[in-house]
Amino acid sequence: MSQYFARADLASQMARQLLHPGILDEGLRSGLFISGQRRTGKTTFLLRDLIPALEAQGALVMYVDLWSDIKANPAQLVRTAIIEALKDLQNPASALLARFGRIRQLDLAAGPFKFGFKVEAVGAPDGATLAQAMTELVDQARCNVVMVVDEVQQAITTDEGNELLLALKAARDAVNPRPGTPGHFIFLGTGSHRALVSELTTRRTQAFNGATSIPYPVLAADYVDYLLQRLAASGAPHRPSRKAAIDAFNALGNRPEELLRALRQLQAAHPADDSTDAALSIIAMTLRSTAADLELSKVEQLGVLATAIFERIAATEGDATGLFSNETAADYSQVVGRNVNVEDIQPVVNELMAANLVMRRGHGRYAITDPFVQAAWREKKALLQLAG
């Protein structure tokens, strides 16, 4: 049995929406941004499910991970990925060209791609623009070209990265509106920093303002069923019920590595047959508390005012508003034990957003970035109130 849980149906559906959109999905041509927490399987889904599904439906895909080299300039990483792909399409012996030929069922005997610009200079001041390069690529490939940028939020950490996003938008606008275009240029960005990924589509100053932003579809009960089947096939002595395993997975924020860790600890705990579910619940809640404590400690490190602001947002059902009013500043002053002015609040909110703890949901509207952390904070608050 394969040890990878494939999500072929989901990937195929997403690929269809991107490449062959119906009337309700046409907005995806403006760009799609997917955000989700770390260690929930985003990159694995991209590489093993979604990109193969896009290629199976005839697209030419370029991929780059901006966390592959955190010291490198994000703009240069994207530019290098594009240049390498274009070089491969010029190389008759490259794996990319061979794969493209198989996918498109093309006879490449006539030779590889030939571009009317110097590939090595694409994106450079004296070279072809990304818009020119993508237009020519689409015209030669005669198919949709998809640019996938993982951890896309890194792009806005530098001026060059912001300029790159503008260049990618220009490529989209150069290719897609043309009457009779043989393909489209589609941009797909994913990221672990939900606050920043959201801003890429909601801030007017961002290149892809107005594009579609969705949460990453986390693994769910079908993944738990798969693990339980593997657990049974392995002969593991301590196997929880389906409900207990699903509850544990949800408690752990739908993080597959954490559930596997909990199941391993369950085997080591050697619970009695009638207490397996209870043992897994205790293990999951312990792991959950540990993970949440690590995140909440980041809030404490930012200071007392940051903690007060975080708690105000975390205690709110839905989006929190009114964080910058005089009345709220007076409330903060009581909690902090010193006078807090309205102008003191925004810099601290910015620090919370930079730490990926809080995200801006709209003008004056804020939410906790990770619902898992917010739920854990509320549970701890309730326990403290009971103890008090």
Side-chain angles (χ1 to χ4, degrees):
M1 179 186 296
S2 171
Q3 295 190 4
Y4 175 67
F5 179 71
R7 307 175 78 186
D9 290 343
L10 173 63
S12 180
Q13 174 193 336
M14 291 181 70
R16 282 196 303 273
Q17 290 175 305
L18 282 166
L19 303 178
H20 313 290
I23 187 170
L24 299 179
D25 298 318
E26 288 179 354
L28 297 178
R29 289 265 168 82
S30 297
L32 174 63
F33 292 78
I34 303 173
S35 62
Q37 289 302 300
R38 295 181 298 275
R39 299 185 294 119
T40 53
K42 295 185 305 301
T43 297
T44 303
F45 174 70
L46 277 179
L47 295 177
R48 301 192 64 169
D49 295 306
L50 184 54
I51 289 177
L54 289 166
E55 291 181 336
Q57 294 186 32
L60 175 61
V61 183
M62 294 175 285
Y63 169 83
V64 60
D65 180 2
L66 298 189
W67 275 2
S68 61
D69 183 354
I70 58 175
K71 295 181 180 179
N73 187 308
Q76 187 57 44
L77 287 174
V78 174
R79 180 172 171 268
T80 298
I82 291 172
I83 289 172
E84 290 303 315
L86 295 176
K87 284 182 177 179
D88 282 346
L89 291 170
Q90 291 180 311
N91 179 3
S94 76
L96 176 60
L97 184 64
R99 189 166 70 251
F100 177 73
R102 286 196 306 272
I103 290 167
R104 300 291 295 170
Q105 297 182 341
L106 298 176
D107 181 5
L108 297 176
F113 284 48
K114 295 180 177 63
F115 299 111
F117 52 83
K118 188 176 180 181
V119 169
E120 293 82 359
V122 168
D126 58 345
T129 65
L130 290 183
Q132 292 169 327
M134 291 303 106
T135 299
E136 193 164 328
L137 176 58
V138 167
D139 287 346
Q140 284 202 48
R142 304 197 65 77
C143 69
N144 294 304
V145 173
V146 183
M147 182 77 234
V148 180
V149 179
D150 206 357
E151 300 302 343
V152 65
Q153 73 279 346
Q154 291 300 110
I156 59 175
T157 61
T158 65
D159 290 340
E160 295 91 338
N162 280 305
E163 291 172 1
L164 167 78
L165 291 175
L166 288 169
L168 290 168
K169 177 196 173 187
R172 179 199 72 186
D173 293 344
V175 173
N176 294 355
R178 298 181 303 166
T181 180
H184 295 83
F185 177 71
I186 300 166
F187 184 81
L188 170 60
T190 71
S192 300
H193 198 304
R194 291 179 62 199
L196 291 181
V197 174
S198 175
E199 287 190 12
L200 286 169
T201 62
T202 57
R203 279 192 179 273
R204 293 181 180 178
T205 56
Q206 290 298 330
F208 284 89
N209 174 46
T212 302
S213 180
I214 64 171
Y216 169 67
V218 294
L219 293 161
D222 51 351
Y223 173 71
V224 176
D225 291 338
Y226 164 79
L227 282 189
L228 292 179
Q229 290 171 6
R230 286 190 58 205
L231 201 63
S234 72
H238 309 295
R239 301 197 294 273
S241 69
R242 181 176 188 267
K243 182 180 184 306
I246 291 173
D247 289 344
F249 192 39
N250 291 337
L252 292 167
N254 301 88
R255 292 171 165 89
E257 291 179 0
E258 291 296 297
L259 180 58
L260 285 168
R261 184 180 175 190
L263 291 172
R264 285 195 296 268
Q265 290 189 15
L266 179 67
Q267 304 310 309
H270 301 294
D273 290 344
D274 60 351
S275 63
T276 300
D277 286 359
L280 179 61
S281 177
I282 292 171
I283 291 169
M285 294 310 294
T286 301
L287 292 175
R288 170 191 176 91
S289 179
T290 301
D293 285 345
L294 288 173
E295 294 298 311
L296 294 174
S297 68
K298 298 178 185 177
V299 181
E300 296 172 357
Q301 291 168 11
L302 294 175
V304 181
L305 179 55
T307 301
I309 295 171
F310 177 90
E311 292 188 346
R312 182 181 182 90
I313 299 172
T316 305
E317 293 292 342
D319 296 339
T321 58
L323 298 185
F324 308 99
S325 68
N326 289 320
E327 293 80 6
T328 306
D331 292 341
Y332 294 150
S333 298
Q334 289 186 347
V335 174
V336 173
R338 63 173 175 82
N339 186 50
V340 174
N341 298 315
V342 172
E343 56 267 24
D344 298 330
I345 301 171
Q346 185 68 66
V348 179
V349 172
N350 290 344
E351 288 182 336
L352 288 166
M353 290 195 294
N356 201 19
L357 295 163
V358 165
M359 63 185 299
R360 183 177 179 271
R361 300 266 296 170
H363 181 69
R365 296 166 43 227
Y366 294 84
I368 301 301
T369 300
D370 190 347
F372 165 76
V373 174
Q374 183 175 21
W377 175 85
R378 288 181 174 179
E379 290 167 5
K380 289 193 174 219
K381 202 76 172 175
L383 288 173
L384 289 173
Q385 288 174 349
L386 286 174

